């Protein structure tokens, strides 16, 4: 039997109203599926297969493929927008369970860890030092 990795998480369904609705989500990676494919199953019945690379890219910057748009929302969450026959569904998901899931899928597949993460699966540190605009002048040739 091929290994299957599942991670349970909570998402928030974003609606036109002032409140969001919590929705359970199951992240699933089955090594017998197409390589690099992960499945997300939401409590309302929505299920979507997408590339693990798309999910990883969406943690760092906006990404889009096959009716799925993903982009970071601050430092700790991401937005997942699913376009389908029933319309558009927008979910907000914490990064922690996603990073843990991705780390486990890479460990199972024996692949390198996601770009932009440390071995712990946490996002790599990004400098927040202000850019003062100071630049080192180019070296000049002496005559």
């Amino acid at each position: 039997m091929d290994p299957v990795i599942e991670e349970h998480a909570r998402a928030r369904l974003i609606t036109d109203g002032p409140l969001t609705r919590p929705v359970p989500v199951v992240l699933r990676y089955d090594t017998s599926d197409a390589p690099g494919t992960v499945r997300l199953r939401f409590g309302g019945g929505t299920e979507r297969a997408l590339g693990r690379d798309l999910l990883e890219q969406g943690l760092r910057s906006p990404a889009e493929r096959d009716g799925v748009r993903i982009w970071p929302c601050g430092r700790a969450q991401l937005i997942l927008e699913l376009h389908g026959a029933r319309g558009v569904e927008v979910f907000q998901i914490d990064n922690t369970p996603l990073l843990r899931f991705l780390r486990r899928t890479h460990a199972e597949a024996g692949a390198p860890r996601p770009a932009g993460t440390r071995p712990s699966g946490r996002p790599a540190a990004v400098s927040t030092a202000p850019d003062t605009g100071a630049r080192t002048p180019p070296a000049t040739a002496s005559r």
Side-chain angles (χ1 to χ4, degrees):
M1 179 175 196
D2 293 317
V4 174
I5 296 169
E6 282 192 352
E7 182 80 31
H8 295 265
R10 304 249 347 131
R12 284 169 287 293
L13 178 63
I14 309 299
T15 65
D16 291 340
L19 301 176
T20 61
R21 190 177 90 218
V23 177
V25 60
V26 176
L27 306 158
R28 182 179 172 90
Y29 176 74
D30 187 338
T31 56
S32 66
D33 281 348
T37 299
V38 296
R39 296 184 179 279
L40 286 76
R41 187 175 63 240
F42 295 90
T46 300
E47 184 169 335
R48 185 66 69 104
L50 56 118
R52 179 174 56 188
D53 62 325
L54 179 68
L55 190 55
E56 291 169 346
Q57 183 182 350
L59 286 164
R60 297 182 309 276
S61 63
E64 181 175 0
R65 187 182 314 144
D66 300 328
V68 177
R69 295 179 65 208
I70 305 173
W71 63 93
C73 179
R75 296 177 64 186
Q77 298 173 328
L78 66 73
I79 301 294
L80 177 67
E81 184 179 285
L82 304 175
H83 295 255
R86 294 178 10 193
V88 178
E89 293 178 296
V90 180
F91 299 93
Q92 184 176 19
I93 306 172
D94 290 338
N95 288 352
T96 301
L98 292 175
L99 289 168
R100 184 173 45 241
F101 171 73
L102 291 169
R103 186 175 60 247
R104 291 174 61 203
T105 66
H106 281 283
E108 182 62 42
R113 68 184 188 282
T117 61
R118 298 183 289 215
S120 66
R122 294 187 183 120
V126 176
S127 173
T128 56
D131 184 2
T132 61
R135 303 287 184 256
T136 305
T140 56
S142 51
R143 296 183 188 173

mmCIF file of all heavy atoms in Angstrom, residues 93-115:
data_model
loop_
_atom_site.group_PDB
_atom_site.id
_atom_site.type_symbol
_atom_site.label_atom_id
_atom_site.label_comp_id
_atom_site.label_asym_id
_atom_site.label_seq_id
_atom_site.Cartn_x
_atom_site.Cartn_y
_atom_site.Cartn_z
ATOM 1 N N ILE A 93 -6.449 30.453 5.186
ATOM 2 C CA ILE A 93 -5.878 29.305 5.894
ATOM 3 C C ILE A 93 -4.579 29.725 6.579
ATOM 4 O O ILE A 93 -3.765 30.433 5.991
ATOM 5 C CB ILE A 93 -5.583 28.146 4.910
ATOM 6 C CG1 ILE A 93 -6.834 27.790 4.100
ATOM 7 C CG2 ILE A 93 -5.050 26.923 5.653
ATOM 8 C CD1 ILE A 93 -6.588 26.801 2.985
ATOM 9 N N ASP A 94 -4.384 29.245 7.810
ATOM 10 C CA ASP A 94 -3.133 29.501 8.514
ATOM 11 C C ASP A 94 -1.999 28.742 7.843
ATOM 12 O O ASP A 94 -2.174 27.608 7.388
ATOM 13 C CB ASP A 94 -3.231 29.078 9.977
ATOM 14 C CG ASP A 94 -4.145 29.976 10.794
ATOM 15 O OD1 ASP A 94 -4.375 31.132 10.382
ATOM 16 O OD2 ASP A 94 -4.626 29.515 11.840
ATOM 17 N N ASN A 95 -0.824 29.356 7.818
ATOM 18 C CA ASN A 95 0.342 28.746 7.177
ATOM 19 C C ASN A 95 0.899 27.549 7.946
ATOM 20 O O ASN A 95 1.447 26.632 7.341
ATOM 21 C CB ASN A 95 1.469 29.771 7.023
ATOM 22 C CG ASN A 95 1.179 30.808 5.966
ATOM 23 O OD1 ASN A 95 0.206 30.718 5.224
ATOM 24 N ND2 ASN A 95 2.028 31.813 5.893
ATOM 25 N N THR A 96 0.786 27.545 9.262
ATOM 26 C CA THR A 96 1.444 26.511 10.070
ATOM 27 C C THR A 96 1.059 25.091 9.655
ATOM 28 O O THR A 96 1.946 24.275 9.393
ATOM 29 C CB THR A 96 1.184 26.744 11.565
ATOM 30 O OG1 THR A 96 1.688 28.047 11.901
ATOM 31 C CG2 THR A 96 1.871 25.705 12.430
ATOM 32 N N PRO A 97 -0.232 24.751 9.561
ATOM 33 C CA PRO A 97 -0.534 23.378 9.141
ATOM 34 C C PRO A 97 -0.129 23.102 7.691
ATOM 35 O O PRO A 97 0.237 21.968 7.352
ATOM 36 C CB PRO A 97 -2.042 23.240 9.336
ATOM 37 C CG PRO A 97 -2.565 24.619 9.457
ATOM 38 C CD PRO A 97 -1.441 25.473 9.927
ATOM 39 N N LEU A 98 -0.160 24.112 6.834
ATOM 40 C CA LEU A 98 0.262 23.930 5.446
ATOM 41 C C LEU A 98 1.749 23.613 5.372
ATOM 42 O O LEU A 98 2.171 22.713 4.649
ATOM 43 C CB LEU A 98 -0.040 25.171 4.611
ATOM 44 C CG LEU A 98 -1.509 25.483 4.370
ATOM 45 C CD1 LEU A 98 -1.656 26.808 3.637
ATOM 46 C CD2 LEU A 98 -2.174 24.369 3.603
ATOM 47 N N LEU A 99 2.554 24.367 6.109
ATOM 48 C CA LEU A 99 3.997 24.133 6.107
ATOM 49 C C LEU A 99 4.330 22.764 6.690
ATOM 50 O O LEU A 99 5.189 22.053 6.170
ATOM 51 C CB LEU A 99 4.713 25.232 6.881
ATOM 52 C CG LEU A 99 4.732 26.601 6.202
ATOM 53 C CD1 LEU A 99 5.201 27.675 7.170
ATOM 54 C CD2 LEU A 99 5.587 26.566 4.957
ATOM 55 N N ARG A 100 3.633 22.380 7.753
ATOM 56 C CA ARG A 100 3.851 21.055 8.354
ATOM 57 C C ARG A 100 3.501 19.963 7.340
ATOM 58 O O ARG A 100 4.251 18.992 7.164
ATOM 59 C CB ARG A 100 3.005 20.933 9.625
ATOM 60 C CG ARG A 100 3.212 19.666 10.389
ATOM 61 C CD ARG A 100 2.486 19.651 11.742
ATOM 62 N NE ARG A 100 1.125 20.136 11.680
ATOM 63 C CZ ARG A 100 0.669 21.204 12.360
ATOM 64 N NH1 ARG A 100 1.481 21.898 13.144
ATOM 65 N NH2 ARG A 100 -0.589 21.571 12.263
ATOM 66 N N PHE A 101 2.383 20.108 6.644
ATOM 67 C CA PHE A 101 1.959 19.158 5.633
ATOM 68 C C PHE A 101 2.979 19.073 4.498
ATOM 69 O O PHE A 101 3.383 17.980 4.101
ATOM 70 C CB PHE A 101 0.581 19.575 5.094
ATOM 71 C CG PHE A 101 0.128 18.795 3.898
ATOM 72 C CD1 PHE A 101 -0.295 17.483 4.022
ATOM 73 C CD2 PHE A 101 0.098 19.379 2.639
ATOM 74 C CE1 PHE A 101 -0.736 16.769 2.918
ATOM 75 C CE2 PHE A 101 -0.334 18.684 1.537
ATOM 76 C CZ PHE A 101 -0.753 17.371 1.672
ATOM 77 N N LEU A 102 3.403 20.215 3.983
ATOM 78 C CA LEU A 102 4.373 20.219 2.882
ATOM 79 C C LEU A 102 5.691 19.581 3.302
ATOM 80 O O LEU A 102 6.296 18.825 2.540
ATOM 81 C CB LEU A 102 4.593 21.644 2.376
ATOM 82 C CG LEU A 102 3.398 22.255 1.639
ATOM 83 C CD1 LEU A 102 3.609 23.747 1.415
ATOM 84 C CD2 LEU A 102 3.142 21.529 0.329
ATOM 85 N N ARG A 103 6.131 19.865 4.514
ATOM 86 C CA ARG A 103 7.368 19.268 5.018
ATOM 87 C C ARG A 103 7.240 17.741 5.061
ATOM 88 O O ARG A 103 8.139 17.017 4.648
ATOM 89 C CB ARG A 103 7.695 19.833 6.403
ATOM 90 C CG ARG A 103 9.033 19.370 6.943
ATOM 91 C CD ARG A 103 9.407 20.032 8.262
ATOM 92 N NE ARG A 103 8.435 19.769 9.305
ATOM 93 C CZ ARG A 103 7.632 20.694 9.858
ATOM 94 N NH1 ARG A 103 7.701 21.945 9.478
ATOM 95 N NH2 ARG A 103 6.785 20.359 10.805
ATOM 96 N N ARG A 104 6.081 17.252 5.509
ATOM 97 C CA ARG A 104 5.856 15.803 5.572
ATOM 98 C C ARG A 104 5.817 15.188 4.174
ATOM 99 O O ARG A 104 6.319 14.080 3.972
ATOM 100 C CB ARG A 104 4.557 15.507 6.325
ATOM 101 C CG ARG A 104 4.652 15.821 7.814
ATOM 102 C CD ARG A 104 3.328 15.655 8.523
ATOM 103 N NE ARG A 104 2.840 14.281 8.423
ATOM 104 C CZ ARG A 104 1.560 13.941 8.544
ATOM 105 N NH1 ARG A 104 0.641 14.870 8.754
ATOM 106 N NH2 ARG A 104 1.192 12.681 8.444
ATOM 107 N N THR A 105 5.217 15.878 3.208
ATOM 108 C CA THR A 105 5.161 15.328 1.846
ATOM 109 C C THR A 105 6.549 15.244 1.232
ATOM 110 O O THR A 105 6.861 14.277 0.544
ATOM 111 C CB THR A 105 4.236 16.141 0.917
ATOM 112 O OG1 THR A 105 4.774 17.446 0.695
ATOM 113 C CG2 THR A 105 2.829 16.228 1.459
ATOM 114 N N HIS A 106 7.367 16.243 1.486
ATOM 115 C CA HIS A 106 8.730 16.214 0.954
ATOM 116 C C HIS A 106 9.557 15.127 1.636
ATOM 117 O O HIS A 106 10.364 14.468 0.982
ATOM 118 C CB HIS A 106 9.400 17.583 1.094
ATOM 119 C CG HIS A 106 8.974 18.542 0.039
ATOM 120 N ND1 HIS A 106 9.452 18.504 -1.247
ATOM 121 C CD2 HIS A 106 8.083 19.562 0.085
ATOM 122 C CE1 HIS A 106 8.882 19.459 -1.952
ATOM 123 N NE2 HIS A 106 8.045 20.112 -1.177
ATOM 124 N N ALA A 107 9.359 14.943 2.920
ATOM 125 C CA ALA A 107 10.088 13.891 3.633
ATOM 126 C C ALA A 107 9.692 12.522 3.088
ATOM 127 O O ALA A 107 10.548 11.654 2.891
ATOM 128 C CB ALA A 107 9.804 13.973 5.131
ATOM 129 N N GLU A 108 8.424 12.319 2.804
ATOM 130 C CA GLU A 108 7.951 11.039 2.268
ATOM 131 C C GLU A 108 8.482 10.801 0.863
ATOM 132 O O GLU A 108 8.879 9.702 0.514
ATOM 133 C CB GLU A 108 6.417 10.997 2.253
ATOM 134 C CG GLU A 108 5.854 9.690 1.764
ATOM 135 C CD GLU A 108 6.247 8.516 2.643
ATOM 136 O OE1 GLU A 108 6.224 8.645 3.875
ATOM 137 O OE2 GLU A 108 6.595 7.459 2.084
ATOM 138 N N ALA A 109 8.501 11.858 0.071
ATOM 139 C CA ALA A 109 8.952 11.732 -1.317
ATOM 140 C C ALA A 109 10.475 11.761 -1.430
ATOM 141 O O ALA A 109 11.014 11.483 -2.493
ATOM 142 C CB ALA A 109 8.351 12.852 -2.162
ATOM 143 N N GLY A 110 11.150 12.140 -0.339
ATOM 144 C CA GLY A 110 12.604 12.227 -0.374
ATOM 145 C C GLY A 110 13.087 13.401 -1.197
ATOM 146 O O GLY A 110 14.220 13.430 -1.648
ATOM 147 N N ALA A 111 12.212 14.395 -1.381
ATOM 148 C CA ALA A 111 12.541 15.581 -2.183
ATOM 149 C C ALA A 111 13.074 16.677 -1.278
ATOM 150 O O ALA A 111 12.880 16.649 -0.067
ATOM 151 C CB ALA A 111 11.301 16.067 -2.912
ATOM 152 N N PRO A 112 13.748 17.678 -1.868
ATOM 153 C CA PRO A 112 14.217 18.805 -1.069
ATOM 154 C C PRO A 112 13.043 19.568 -0.472
ATOM 155 O O PRO A 112 11.935 19.524 -0.992
ATOM 156 C CB PRO A 112 14.988 19.666 -2.072
ATOM 157 C CG PRO A 112 14.557 19.218 -3.414
ATOM 158 C CD PRO A 112 14.067 17.814 -3.277
ATOM 159 N N ARG A 113 13.295 20.254 0.624
ATOM 160 C CA ARG A 113 12.231 21.011 1.291
ATOM 161 C C ARG A 113 11.781 22.188 0.426
ATOM 162 O O ARG A 113 12.522 22.623 -0.452
ATOM 163 C CB ARG A 113 12.691 21.483 2.666
ATOM 164 C CG ARG A 113 13.769 22.535 2.620
ATOM 165 C CD ARG A 113 14.229 22.884 4.034
ATOM 166 N NE ARG A 113 15.122 23.995 4.042
ATOM 167 C CZ ARG A 113 16.390 23.966 3.728
ATOM 168 N NH1 ARG A 113 16.929 22.842 3.347
ATOM 169 N NH2 ARG A 113 17.129 25.046 3.765
ATOM 170 N N PRO A 114 10.588 22.726 0.694
ATOM 171 C CA PRO A 114 10.092 23.844 -0.099
ATOM 172 C C PRO A 114 11.034 25.038 -0.051
ATOM 173 O O PRO A 114 11.613 25.339 0.988
ATOM 174 C CB PRO A 114 8.759 24.202 0.571
ATOM 175 C CG PRO A 114 8.364 22.988 1.340
ATOM 176 C CD PRO A 114 9.647 22.301 1.712
ATOM 177 N N ALA A 115 11.195 25.721 -1.174
ATOM 178 C CA ALA A 115 12.032 26.919 -1.233
ATOM 179 C C ALA A 115 11.474 27.953 -0.274
ATOM 180 O O ALA A 115 10.271 28.092 -0.121
ATOM 181 C CB ALA A 115 12.059 27.462 -2.651
#
